[in-house]
Amino acid sequence: MDKKSVRRDNFFKLVEEAGNVSKLARACGYNNPASLHQLSNRLKKNEEGSRGITNSLALKLERGMGKPKGWLDRVHREKAPVAETAAEPMVQTVLPAAAEGARVAAVSRHTSETQVDIRINLDGSGRALLDTGVPFLNHMLDQIARHSLIDLEIRCQGDLHIDDHHTVEDIGITLGQALKQALGDKRGICRYGHAYVPLDEALSRVVIDLSGRPGLVYNIEYTRAVIGRFDVDLLEEFFHGLVNHSMMTLHIDNLSGKNAHHQAETVFKAFGRALRMAVEYDARMAGQTPSTKGTLTA
């Protein structure tokens, strides 16, 4: 397959991922989608000698949809379909059983908008089992698990026919409740955590205090309003829900970045690294509460 044909096929993969040509145009920063509609019609006809996708347009499409440079020029094979299996209750999971004494929590939060079930193990190995119905959120939650070394199981049935808002916010709320429950009285933990994480041109800093006082400082100017089909405003709603119900103070700063996907990913990776530092036991603390007040739960 020649380069022109590969780009053509990948263009329509991006259209499918975005939802339609107009949504792809918005994701890539077009105020008027007419030019992409014209391109789409031309590529569908696939007439011999017709102009394909230029290098500058290919780069713009890749950046807008959070793809790595050169993605449009590579052949992407379809994944083989996975055989369907009957849904299992949450207690029967592929995640490993927690070791004796591990800090674990299981929280269910069911409303008329969402049904969220979460199980976490603060002393795990970073494994994740995620079924939220929102692929980009799954990707971000996986970053938290991998970089915090917290085992994380999240299942959600939400009103996605409306939009992703309730699902993303309620998962943040329920994850916050689970963290608070698993941390218990917080005796012996480090309490504070921080991390800087880069990803190519993007760099983010996250600082955590498991203080018992909820507070979020969120400084991110995303370069796009959507990543694929995901509204980036919902990421702040996720962290608001998590902070308010875990009772942590959280500072998030994106220090640089041009690619919105990279901006978001550095934030979630840095959050995972900072959370890992904050929840770990401090051997020198010897079981004491890391506060001169004597408590972090009152």
Side-chain angles (χ1 to χ4, degrees):
M1 187 181 295
D2 60 23
K3 184 175 182 179
K4 178 182 173 183
S5 299
V6 172
R7 284 189 173 182
R8 174 186 176 275
D9 289 351
N10 285 334
F11 173 82
F12 288 112
K13 283 185 171 69
L14 292 181
V15 171
E16 182 179 358
E17 182 178 331
N20 57 48
V21 175
S22 294
K23 290 181 179 179
L24 175 61
R26 286 197 296 271
C28 296
Y30 287 89
N31 292 324
N32 187 337
S35 58
L36 275 196
H37 278 287
Q38 292 171 2
L39 172 65
S40 176
N41 292 334
R42 190 170 70 245
L43 293 176
K44 285 177 181 177
K45 292 178 181 177
N46 200 24
E47 294 175 346
E48 187 174 349
S50 64
R51 186 162 56 93
I53 297 174
T54 64
N55 291 336
S56 59
L57 177 57
L59 186 59
K60 191 170 186 176
L61 291 168
E62 289 164 349
R63 285 177 175 173
M65 293 297 287
K67 304 298 184 184
K69 186 177 180 180
W71 183 91
L72 221 65
D73 293 325
R74 295 195 290 271
V75 176
H76 305 284
R77 304 295 182 190
E78 297 292 336
K79 293 182 179 179
V82 179
E84 292 187 1
T85 57
E88 295 182 341
M90 204 175 162
V91 293
Q92 297 176 351
T93 160
V94 299
L95 290 180
E100 185 177 353
R103 294 168 294 172
V104 299
V107 176
S108 294
R109 183 178 186 273
H110 292 190
T111 71
S112 61
E113 296 170 340
T114 61
Q115 294 81 51
V116 185
D117 299 288
I118 291 183
R119 187 169 70 92
I120 64 172
N121 176 6
L122 299 184
D123 303 301
S125 57
R127 301 191 185 186
L129 184 63
L130 306 167
D131 182 12
T132 70
V134 183
F136 185 75
L137 180 61
N138 285 349
H139 180 43
M140 293 299 102
L141 293 170
D142 196 27
Q143 305 306 319
I144 294 178
R146 183 66 55 87
H147 294 282
S148 67
L149 294 182
I150 292 173
D151 288 346
L152 188 58
E153 180 181 355
I154 300 178
R155 301 182 190 271
C156 179
Q157 293 290 326
D159 54 1
L160 298 177
H161 61 285
I162 297 175
D163 65 11
D164 296 343
H165 188 113
H166 296 144
T167 293
V168 176
E169 181 179 28
D170 289 1
I171 287 174
I173 290 171
T174 313
L175 180 57
Q177 292 172 337
L179 282 170
K180 183 174 183 285
Q181 181 177 314
L183 282 165
D185 61 14
K186 304 177 188 175
R187 289 182 181 275
I189 66 168
C190 291
R191 174 179 169 177
Y192 300 100
H194 64 274
Y196 287 80
V197 170
L199 175 56
D200 296 344
E201 87 298 343
L203 174 65
S204 292
R205 175 184 62 214
V206 173
V207 183
I208 291 174
D209 177 10
L210 298 176
S211 59
R213 299 184 304 277
L216 175 65
V217 178
Y218 187 86
N219 294 314
I220 307 176
E221 294 291 336
Y222 285 103
T223 58
R224 300 284 185 219
V226 294
I227 302 172
R229 287 178 285 179
F230 186 86
D231 180 356
V232 298
D233 286 346
L234 298 182
L235 296 178
E236 185 171 4
E237 297 302 318
F238 169 84
F239 282 113
H240 268 299
L242 187 150
V243 162
N244 289 337
H245 292 269
S246 64
M247 305 295 283
M248 73 167 65
T249 301
L250 177 62
H251 287 249
I252 298 176
D253 295 278
N254 176 239
L255 304 177
S256 66
K258 296 179 180 179
N259 183 303
H261 189 130
H262 292 174
Q263 290 176 288
E265 191 162 331
T266 55
V267 165
F268 276 80
K269 286 178 175 177
F271 176 75
R273 298 291 300 185
L275 185 61
R276 174 182 173 182
M277 182 186 296
V279 304
E280 283 187 343
Y281 284 118
D282 183 343
R284 295 181 63 194
M285 191 62 67
Q288 299 179 75
T289 300
S291 172
T292 53
K293 294 185 301 183
T295 180
L296 289 173
T297 57

